[in-house]
Amino acid sequence: MSAVYNRDEAAVRVRRQSRQPDPAVEAFREAILDKLTYAVGREAGSARDHDWFVATALAVRDRIVDRWTASNREADSGQRKRVYYLSLEFLIGRLLSDTLGNLGLTEVAREALADLGVDLDAVRAVEPDAALGNGGLGRLAACFMESSASLGIPAIGYGIRYDYGLFRQIVSEGWQREVPEDWLSFGNPWEFERAEVVFPIRFGGAVELAPQPDGTSRAVWHAAETILAVAYDTPVVGWRGRHVDALRLWSARAPDPIELETFNLGDYVGAIAHRSRAEAISRILYPSDATPAGQELRLRQEYFFTSASLQDLIVRHVRVYGDLATLADHAAIQLNDTHPAIAVAELMRLLVDEHGMAWEPAWAITRGTLNYTNHTLLPEALETWPVGLMERLLPRHMQIIYLINLLHLESLSKAGRMTDELLPRISLIDESNGRRVRMGHLAFLGAHKVNGVSALHTDLMRRTVFKDLHALYPDRITNKTNGITFRRWLQQANPALTRLLVETLGERVLDDPAALQGLVPLSEDPAFQARFEAQRRANKEALARLARERIGVALDPSALFDVHIKRIHEYKRQLLNILETIALYQAIRAEPEADHVPRVKVFAGKAAASYAQAKLIIKLANDVARTVNADPVVAGRLKVAFLPNYNVSLAESIIPAADLSEQISTAGMEASGTGNMKFALNGAITVGTLDGANVEIRDHVGADNIFIFGLTTEEVEVRLRGGGAKGEGAIAASPRLHGVMEALSSGLFSPEDTGRFRPIVDALTHNDRYLVTADFDSYWNAQRAVDALWRDPAAWWRMSILNTARIGWFSSDRTIREYAEEIWRVPLRG
Ligand SMILES: *Cc1c(COP(=O)(O)O)cnc(C)c1O
């Protein structure tokens, strides 16, 4: 089955049915064959799916290039303001479906390949995921690039071309194991290497103050080490192919491939040692999410891509406008979290030291150009760097940071706003545990706008981490609630639902998410409900096939699919869900004859390799799955599946098959979430806490169409402040939870190692920082309300349809429009 989204594709179908030759299909078929022969070097007879993938991608890329050049020419000649999105992560996933879909070429490609005896779906499946990110932050960057291109905004995404993306997760005997993700091993047909776009990136050494003829002095940085950043460009095609933007990723190279003198002395290994040190910078993505990655290599990565990106955009600006004084008028830079926050000091260095600008105008330009997005308030995830490390690696930047700090503190003293209590809180240097540079504070001071990613999160930024800076600069913080691109998360991921929507609402639903509202009156229509249910059923059958193939577990597509997929982190509370699963298991065993709603619990997610508790939670999910799935007493009522190697492609398979979306983080801890939006778009009903964007999802879909439970942010604050992190009380007060804890302690799920889950039991009992035990009963009750709704199919499908109908606001097109208007101040076309 395939989707037909627009007139071109409909025309292909009509011609196919009438067996007329189609010139578009013929041309594309010839283009693919040409690439297969001359670029891949294969004959059609011996080509494998992977060869066909490369040939198809190259043929598609050719179609993009002209539009890309046109988009660039138009941006330069029209003197349009450019947006630069700096992100250490881009979690892209596969590009073939997305690109074909946006170009309106899906049916043409399908037909062209079919003529050659090749199945498009098989070709799509062999594309490796570009997993250059850990989770939500990197996926947001990818959605933003697609939306910027779709809205015709001249944007460039800047990041690192990691040789190895996020690790591939293998689950072996229930434990996570990490293996390298070698996504480039067969080459990458989407990218263009720009061997001529190279910038030097310097580290270490010392700074000299060189006297100038006019009596002033100028800082000259004599660096100890120079590494080259080489650009690789991947085109990003917008919806309907109208506009193309670029993702420019930097790869590290040593300036001299080989030290010939050393080589000539016979030291062949030593002659290339410097090279592996240099190239280590872009070797691998740090696999941490909402946890610190504070090693020196990480700081080198951050500076490497930030400096290369700023040098590149300065060259572009000077080429078009001739003069850096106008940079802020023609460029807006967005810093995705603090990873590129060193941009504040680097832009000052480039303007003052390299381009001879005075400090004041340089600061005005920096502050007029940079903007910063905060993604987390978790104290352990706020980036700080030791002053000693900064001085050694980036001596000139440390001087600039001291000067920014001095001027900042002085201006407050002069204005009579400084107090002894305020000083240590607003200084760029945290003196409380060693001396460390606060990257969030640096980004705040250097930015025109600072934004949070949901209304609740932005409110918390104003009240907590940035309380003092916000009081001094009350106009700087603004909210930009996250969004997702509907092209990937609806059209590509769920063609069956998309087809139903187009047939029901017309094609404009593909261009305007507000059109989804047209479903509201249909939500109670039994015929429409039946069609809505049918597409879900087909998606569930497909997921059941996937689960059988990958983990050998049989899932019943008529059961309620209850899905919890995201990074494994204690604040995301997969543990709460597992405890409820155990309680449900015990309840079914206690009353096997009772009428229990059949449920399938689906989990997926990676744990940071160094995060022991998260890895133990994965083991627990798998041990519970092993016990439950083998127990004949609960057969037909409960199944548990942990699907390994969560990534964008797996999310695209799972989300359209979900009935229930688990968004149960501890209130106040999830900045926004975007998984929650993907599920609701596909009609899953949310069970969630009042956290992150869940609050706004509730406001949009209606409080009656979402299951909200648990402590609020304020209640969590009170508990944690009042030393309420012990779970003992809650466990003693809840016989059900007590029974679950007994089962865990007794080794019911780990008979071969009865003490295995002791660290989990201990943490919940004595130091329950995520308030799992406090929310347990309320979560249990919410789940039983979900059961009650499931027993009333008309009510269930009505609620499900209303979620799809009212989620349009969460399109990343809306988010990007807001950034464009309020932060970047770039005019939108049309
Ligand atoms: C959307 C997405 C995320 C973010 O999910 P949350 O539920 O918001 O944490 C992480 N990883 C992948 C692969 C995603 O597609």
Side-chain angles (χ1 to χ4, degrees):
M1 282 206 297
S2 60
V4 175
Y5 299 144
N6 61 34
R7 273 164 224 95
D8 297 350
E9 308 229 341
V12 175
R13 286 223 152 169
V14 171
R15 284 207 204 85
R16 192 192 319 177
Q17 278 151 12
S18 63
R19 305 209 158 273
Q20 289 170 26
D22 180 329
V25 170
E26 285 180 359
F28 201 61
R29 187 185 62 216
E30 291 315 308
I32 294 173
L33 263 184
D34 193 68
K35 293 295 178 191
L36 186 75
T37 313
Y38 299 107
V40 182
R42 282 259 177 200
E43 282 187 316
S46 65
R48 301 153 308 158
D49 282 342
H50 192 272
D51 302 318
W52 288 113
F53 160 67
V54 174
T56 308
L58 290 173
V60 175
R61 197 180 69 166
D62 280 0
R63 305 277 171 112
I64 301 171
V65 171
D66 290 338
R67 298 170 201 240
W68 193 11
T69 323
S71 294
N72 259 319
R73 206 181 313 114
E74 190 239 5
D76 286 347
S77 65
Q79 307 225 327
R80 296 188 62 202
K81 191 168 185 178
R82 287 201 184 245
V83 171
Y84 299 103
Y85 197 83
L86 269 62
S87 181
L88 202 51
E89 304 192 1
F90 286 91
L91 186 48
I92 298 162
R94 294 175 177 146
L95 278 175
L96 183 57
S97 296
D98 210 45
T99 309
L100 285 174
N102 280 5
L103 290 170
L105 283 175
T106 308
E107 288 309 308
V108 173
R110 185 183 303 282
E111 184 73 354
L113 284 166
D115 283 357
L116 295 161
V118 178
D119 175 18
L120 173 63
D121 293 326
V123 170
R124 291 207 257 227
V126 299
E127 178 174 6
D129 265 48
L132 310 184
N134 277 284
L137 175 150
R139 185 53 234 171
L140 184 76
C143 282
F144 278 6
M145 287 308 301
E146 201 272 352
S147 275
S148 295
S150 293
L151 293 174
I153 295 173
I156 296 183
Y158 281 122
I160 294 181
R161 181 179 179 272
Y162 301 105
D163 297 337
Y164 297 93
L166 184 58
F167 65 85
R168 191 151 53 83
Q169 178 193 56
I170 291 178
V171 176
S172 131
E173 312 213 315
W175 295 102
Q176 167 176 301
R177 277 187 28 219
E178 304 91 32
V179 297
E181 182 61 272
D182 194 4
W183 71 294
L184 292 171
S185 58
F186 290 101
N188 174 2
W190 298 114
E191 69 184 6
F192 291 89
E193 180 178 355
R194 306 292 192 198
E196 76 288 1
V197 182
V198 183
F199 294 98
I201 312 296
R202 299 180 298 156
F203 294 98
V207 182
E208 176 203 358
L209 277 183
Q212 300 296 294
D214 64 359
T216 61
S217 59
R218 181 164 178 174
V220 181
W221 176 17
H222 302 285
E225 184 184 4
T226 300
I227 288 163
L228 300 180
V230 182
Y232 286 75
D233 288 345
T234 300
V236 180
V237 182
W239 173 233
R240 305 247 188 232
R242 289 188 203 112
H243 183 91
V244 181
D245 281 328
L247 181 60
R248 173 160 284 188
L249 302 179
W250 301 104
S251 184
R253 293 270 185 291
D256 311 309
I258 182 162
E259 285 172 354
L260 265 185
E261 283 181 18
T262 316
F263 184 85
N264 293 339
L265 292 172
D267 181 1
Y268 307 128
V269 174
I272 54 168
H274 69 293
R275 191 169 153 184
S276 51
R277 177 175 155 79
E279 294 174 2
I281 289 188
S282 56
R283 190 74 71 211
I284 185 160
L285 168 79
Y286 268 87
S288 60
D289 176 70
T291 46
Q295 298 88 343
E296 176 174 334
L297 179 61
R298 170 72 163 209
L299 181 57
R300 288 164 70 88
Q301 288 186 335
E302 294 183 355
Y303 178 65
F304 167 79
F305 100 97
T306 302
S307 176
S309 308
L310 293 178
Q311 292 185 62
D312 187 48
L313 69 89
I314 283 177
V315 167
R316 183 175 304 105
H317 179 84
V318 170
R319 175 163 47 71
V320 179
Y321 301 99
D323 183 1
L324 273 177
T326 59
L327 183 67
D329 302 330
H330 300 292
I333 300 174
Q334 193 68 40
L335 308 178
N336 196 25
D337 212 330
T338 53
H339 312 143
I342 194 67
V344 176
E346 173 69 356
L347 187 51
M348 286 302 289
R349 187 189 71 80
L350 290 167
L351 294 176
V352 173
D353 295 357
E354 308 269 327
H355 292 271
M357 204 177 275
W359 182 275
E360 293 294 329
W363 184 244
I365 290 172
T366 297
R367 275 228 39 235
T369 310
L370 298 177
N371 303 283
Y372 155 55
T373 305
N374 173 275
H375 281 274
T376 179
L377 305 172
L378 297 180
E380 68 268 29
L382 293 175
E383 264 193 317
T384 60
W385 289 106
V387 166
L389 173 60
M390 290 280 284
E391 276 170 343
R392 181 161 56 74
L393 215 57
L394 300 170
R396 178 58 184 149
H397 297 78
M398 198 58 236
Q399 292 178 344
I400 291 172
I401 289 169
Y402 277 136
L403 189 49
I404 293 171
N405 201 30
L406 182 76
L407 295 171
H408 155 61
L409 299 176
E410 266 182 9
S411 76
L412 295 175
S413 297
K414 278 193 202 129
R417 305 189 66 174
M418 185 64 91
T419 64
D420 286 352
E421 298 84 69
L422 192 58
L423 176 69
R425 297 205 303 255
I426 58 163
S427 170
L428 293 185
I429 312 296
D430 179 0
E431 313 266 355
S432 66
N433 82 79
R435 303 186 70 229
R436 304 179 73 94
V437 182
R438 293 172 164 141
M439 302 309 278
H441 280 38
L442 178 64
F444 189 107
L445 282 187
H448 162 64
K449 289 285 176 191
V450 176
N451 75 285
V453 290
S454 72
L456 173 67
H457 166 67
T458 302
D459 180 50
L460 286 169
M461 281 169 67
R462 294 190 178 114
R463 292 204 289 116
T464 61
V465 243
F466 295 119
K467 181 170 189 277
D468 301 303
L469 287 170
H470 171 61
L472 297 170
Y473 307 102
D475 297 334
R476 204 163 297 185
I477 296 184
T478 175
N479 177 243
K480 292 287 160 277
T481 299
N482 283 167
I484 55 170
T485 165
F486 286 18
R487 268 78 60 184
R488 182 176 290 266
W489 295 107
L490 176 62
Q491 298 182 31
Q492 301 304 327
N494 199 344
L497 175 56
T498 306
R499 214 162 20 247
L500 175 59
L501 294 174
V502 170
E503 283 168 22
T504 311
L505 303 170
E507 241 195 78
R508 76 196 173 97
V509 74
L510 303 177
D511 299 274
D512 178 14
L516 288 169
Q517 293 275 3
L519 293 181
V520 172
L522 291 167
S523 63
E524 299 188 27
D525 172 0
F528 186 75
Q529 286 190 347
R531 296 179 74 192
F532 202 85
E533 180 177 1
Q535 58 82 21
R536 174 80 49 79
R537 170 76 189 208
N539 293 333
K540 288 166 78 171
E541 283 166 3
L543 182 60
R545 280 193 295 278
L546 184 150
R548 183 185 284 286
E549 279 164 25
R550 301 217 181 147
I551 57 172
V553 173
L555 308 182
D556 172 6
S558 64
L560 191 170
F561 277 24
D562 171 348
V563 179
H564 203 166
I565 55 173
K566 49 183 77 237
R567 283 299 286 241
I568 310 290
H569 203 295
E570 285 163 286
Y571 84 83
K572 291 179 181 278
R573 297 204 295 192
Q574 283 90 359
L575 189 50
L576 178 57
N577 187 348
I578 298 170
L579 298 187
E580 193 266 342
T581 305
I582 296 172
L584 187 58
Y585 174 58
Q586 293 181 323
I588 299 172
R589 281 190 57 98
E591 286 186 87
E593 308 306 325
D595 177 22
H596 300 280
V597 168
R599 275 208 195 220
V600 169
K601 290 268 190 180
V602 177
F603 294 92
K606 294 175 182 175
S610 57
Y611 190 171
Q613 195 78 344
K615 291 172 112 171
L616 190 58
I617 290 170
I618 291 177
K619 175 61 173 161
L620 177 60
N622 282 287
D623 279 0
V624 170
R626 177 183 60 176
T627 306
V628 168
N629 297 348
D631 189 338
V633 178
V634 302
R637 267 80 62 81
L638 184 60
K639 269 281 164 67
V640 183
F642 187 98
L643 293 169
N645 201 36
Y646 182 52
N647 60 13
V648 171
S649 292
L650 188 59
E652 288 168 5
S653 299
I654 295 176
I655 291 169
D659 295 306
L660 186 67
S661 160
E662 298 273 356
Q663 308 299 336
I664 62 176
S665 50
T666 315
M669 296 195 185
E670 182 74 272
S672 163
T674 48
N676 45 7
M677 303 166 190
K678 300 167 194 167
F679 281 99
L681 175 60
N682 284 277
I685 295 170
T686 304
V687 57
T689 46
L690 281 179
D691 197 15
N694 293 354
V695 178
E696 290 153 271
I697 291 177
R698 179 200 59 176
D699 294 345
H700 279 84
V701 304
D704 293 343
N705 298 311
I706 186 168
F707 291 90
I708 295 291
F709 72 94
L711 300 173
T712 62
T713 302
E714 289 75 19
E715 289 163 347
V716 167
E717 278 173 11
V718 170
R719 298 266 181 137
L720 293 182
R721 224 186 297 130
K726 280 196 189 346
E728 283 164 332
I731 296 168
S734 167
R736 188 167 281 115
L737 179 55
H738 189 258
V740 172
M741 301 300 286
E742 289 287 292
L744 278 183
S745 309
S746 71
L748 180 65
F749 302 104
S750 55
E752 67 282 12
D753 177 5
T754 53
R756 179 175 294 148
F757 300 114
R758 162 70 52 77
I760 286 177
V761 173
D762 282 351
L764 293 176
T765 311
H766 305 299
N767 186 20
D768 184 11
R769 291 171 52 211
Y770 302 95
L771 298 171
V772 171
T773 55
D775 272 344
F776 178 83
D777 279 342
S778 130
Y779 178 56
W780 170 269
N781 292 333
Q783 288 285 21
R784 302 296 71 79
V786 170
D787 284 342
L789 185 72
W790 183 259
R791 292 179 208 278
D792 181 354
W796 180 278
W797 291 107
R798 175 177 173 277
M799 195 185 289
S800 170
I801 294 164
L802 286 177
N803 269 266
T804 301
R806 294 176 172 164
I807 207 71
W809 189 77
F810 295 90
S811 159
S812 46
D813 295 355
R814 183 272 312 158
T815 315
I816 287 297
R817 235 178 248 118
E818 289 185 8
Y819 275 88
E821 284 166 7
E822 295 167 37
I823 298 183
W824 304 331
R825 293 162 299 173
V826 296
L828 291 168
R829 290 184 308 191

